[in-house]
Amino acid sequence: SQKIEQNSEALNIQEGKTATLTCNYTNYSPAYLQWYRQDPGRGPVFLLLIRENEKEKRKERLKVTFDTTLKQSLFHITASQPADSATYLCALYNYGQNFVFGPGTRLSALP
Amino acid sequence: NAGVTQTPKFRILKIGQSMTLQCAQDMNHNYMYWYRQDPGMGLKLIYYSVGAGITDKGEVPNGYNVSRSTTEDFPLRLELAAPSQTSVYFCASSTLGDEQFFGPGTRLTVL
């Protein structure tokens, strides 16, 4: 069966450290994968997109990797700040099926 | 630009009632989506549209209907509301292969 999973429901990280979030998928062939941030009571906001032929993308303190052999994407936030506390969603665009979202990881960056 | 707007923000329905959730975008995007998000869960795709006059089912379409008469508007119709439709509904728009822009959401309770 098809599944998209994110490593943990919640992740606590100390301010200044690097947070690493994982997105794993099974039985999908994604053309690309996106990461979104969602704050309580709000809609998701786009952060990064990585295509199937790309290994890594960066944007300021954010980095995403995509390994189609392992069927995994890693999302890194370096030098975490309390303002980074939010839920992070991965979403893959699967050929012929449109977007599928993971359940999200709630990140708390503690001072 | 207002981006993606949704109305209403909140609504309480009785079982068996009907309602239409409104969604509009001013970015001239061809692609529009309706998602539902249950507590602690990721987003599930209900319906999507690739342009005016073209709609298709997503993962969880039962109990819903959509129409797309213009590029800007993509209303979602609930017929015969059921408690299982209690959720937060998000509308989104995009161009092909690009980020999705989300609206602020409609919180619906069916009692």
Side-chain angles (χ1 to χ4, degrees):
Chain A
S1 63
Q2 294 176 314
K3 266 193 312 188
I4 178 168
E5 297 174 309
Q6 295 188 236
N7 56 327
S8 56
E9 194 174 312
L11 180 66
N12 292 331
I13 190 83
Q14 192 172 6
E15 184 177 4
K17 302 289 187 187
T18 296
T20 299
L21 285 66
T22 305
C23 179
N24 294 296
Y25 59 91
T26 309
N27 291 327
Y28 286 111
S29 298
Y32 55 88
L33 193 144
Q34 300 177 334
W35 284 88
Y36 288 83
R37 170 186 171 134
Q38 187 174 25
D39 292 292
R42 295 182 169 255
V45 174
F46 172 81
L47 295 173
L48 281 168
L49 179 154
I50 186 164
R51 302 188 187 280
E52 59 179 334
N53 60 349
E54 296 174 319
K55 295 290 186 192
E56 182 179 300
K57 273 278 187 72
R58 291 175 184 262
K59 181 182 173 183
E60 297 170 353
R61 294 185 295 112
L62 310 179
K63 183 178 86 170
V64 62
T65 63
F66 193 12
D67 189 326
T68 55
T69 302
L70 291 178
K71 299 187 186 300
Q72 180 181 78
S73 174
L74 299 179
F75 179 76
H76 307 271
I77 306 175
T78 57
S80 298
Q81 304 166 1
D84 295 326
S85 299
T87 296
Y88 291 85
L89 304 166
C90 69
L92 56 86
Y93 181 84
N94 195 48
Y95 285 114
Q97 285 185 286
N98 226 305
F99 284 98
V100 181
F101 277 80
T105 295
R106 191 172 65 253
L107 176 70
S108 297
L110 307 171
Chain B
N1 285 351
V4 178
T5 57
Q6 291 183 239
T7 55
K9 285 187 170 33
F10 304 94
R11 183 73 185 267
I12 298 175
L13 282 182
K14 293 183 179 177
I15 294 171
Q17 287 185 319
S18 301
M19 76 164 293
T20 299
L21 281 67
Q22 301 292 344
C23 174
Q25 54 96 5
D26 62 0
M27 296 172 281
N28 203 32
H29 287 162
N30 283 330
Y31 289 73
M32 294 188 75
Y33 313 85
W34 273 107
Y35 294 93
R36 61 176 286 171
Q37 186 175 36
D38 298 323
M41 306 288 283
L43 296 125
K44 301 284 188 189
L45 183 63
I46 305 171
Y47 272 95
Y48 67 99
S49 169
V50 301
I54 306 170
T55 62
D56 208 347
K57 295 177 181 178
E59 187 182 352
V60 290
N62 291 345
Y64 308 94
N65 275 302
V66 293
S67 59
R68 183 100 182 267
S69 56
T70 67
T71 299
E72 295 77 21
D73 300 298
F74 190 39
L76 177 72
R77 178 87 179 155
L78 277 72
E79 305 281 2
L80 299 174
S84 61
Q85 293 178 303
T86 294
S87 190
V88 181
Y89 291 84
F90 289 103
C91 178
S93 73
S94 76
T95 55
L96 179 62
D98 211 342
E99 64 179 283
Q100 293 180 74
F101 291 83
F102 283 84
T106 294
R107 187 175 297 274
L108 176 67
T109 302
V110 181
L111 300 173

